[in-house]
Amino acid sequence: MSKINPYWVESEWKSLLYQFSEKTIDESTTFQNKEFKENVDVFDRILNLTSLIGDYYSQGLLNYLNFSR
């Protein structure tokens, strides 16, 4: 995606998506191990992370649309 939009940085995308994958694995592991309190905590962190990913995505789009004229 960073090749499409100069306002996105490849390393930032990699970091965000790596964190998302890691948290998703953590969530499935805690659920499988019946660690339900920890599972809720991990799910909450996933929700926060998806907000960060959405903010980064939308800010990149806004910058691209505003400054690429």
Side-chain angles (χ1 to χ4, degrees), residues 1 4 10 12 14 19 22 25 29-30 33-34 38 40 44 47 50-51 55 62 64 66-67 69:
M1 292 180 72
I4 297 169
E10 181 178 356
E12 184 66 22
K14 285 182 178 181
Q19 289 177 59
E22 184 179 37
I25 292 169
T29 301
T30 56
N33 292 335
K34 299 181 181 180
E38 292 84 359
V40 171
D44 186 50
L47 290 178
T50 56
S51 291
D55 289 345
L62 285 173
Y64 184 79
N66 286 328
F67 301 118
R69 296 179 183 180

Side-chain angles (χ1 to χ4, degrees), residues 6-69:
Y7 297 99
W8 289 324
V9 178
E10 181 178 356
S11 61
E12 184 66 22
W13 274 119
K14 285 182 178 181
S15 174
L16 290 168
L17 296 175
Y18 176 79
Q19 289 177 59
F20 181 78
S21 296
E22 184 179 37
K23 299 286 181 248
T24 302
I25 292 169
D26 290 346
E27 182 188 23
S28 63
T29 301
T30 56
F31 187 78
Q32 182 180 12
N33 292 335
K34 299 181 181 180
E35 299 168 343
F36 300 116
K37 183 185 178 318
E38 292 84 359
N39 184 267
V40 171
D41 292 339
V42 173
F43 183 73
D44 186 50
R45 284 182 287 214
I46 289 172
L47 290 178
N48 289 333
L49 183 59
T50 56
S51 291
L52 290 174
I53 293 169
D55 289 345
Y56 188 70
Y57 181 82
S58 61
Q59 189 62 52
L61 281 179
L62 285 173
N63 290 344
Y64 184 79
L65 294 173
N66 286 328
F67 301 118
S68 295
R69 296 179 183 180

